Amino acid sequence: MSLIIDVRHLVLKKIPNLLQPFSGAISDRMNRKQILLFCDFTRGLLIGIMGLLSIFNALSVELIYITALLMNILSQF
């Protein structure tokens, strides 16, 4: 069980780091203010959806991992 948790932690932390060169190239070519607004709005939307799912008891561990991965990817920009 510990190995599975370590692999999930590795995926959640290292995959977004592999995207840094691409996110840097994208942010250099686009308006940084728009990128920042889009990423912040999307992260807020994800947190709001997680809150609603928690209220309705529809939250699963897999969904938490997927949301954490998306949040880490969006924080790379």
Side-chain angles (χ1 to χ4, degrees):
M1 186 69 175
S2 176
L3 179 63
I4 293 172
I5 293 173
D6 289 340
V7 169
R8 287 179 183 171
H9 177 72
L10 180 70
V11 168
L12 287 176
K13 293 294 180 183
K14 297 301 177 187
I15 286 182
N17 289 342
L18 295 174
L19 298 174
Q20 280 182 343
F22 302 109
S23 64
I26 290 171
S27 64
D28 285 341
R29 291 190 176 100
M30 295 178 68
N31 185 358
R32 293 179 189 188
K33 189 175 185 179
Q34 289 178 347
I35 292 172
L36 181 67
L37 287 173
F38 171 76
C39 290
D40 285 347
F41 176 76
T42 306
R43 283 192 303 234
L45 189 66
L46 285 171
I47 293 297
I49 290 171
M50 294 295 284
L52 286 174
L53 289 174
S54 175
I55 289 171
F56 294 117
N57 291 328
L59 202 56
S60 66
V61 174
E62 292 83 11
L63 192 57
I64 293 172
Y65 280 124
I66 291 169
T67 304
L69 179 65
L70 290 174
M71 297 277 288
N72 284 333
I73 289 172
L74 287 171
S75 69
Q76 293 300 315
F77 290 94

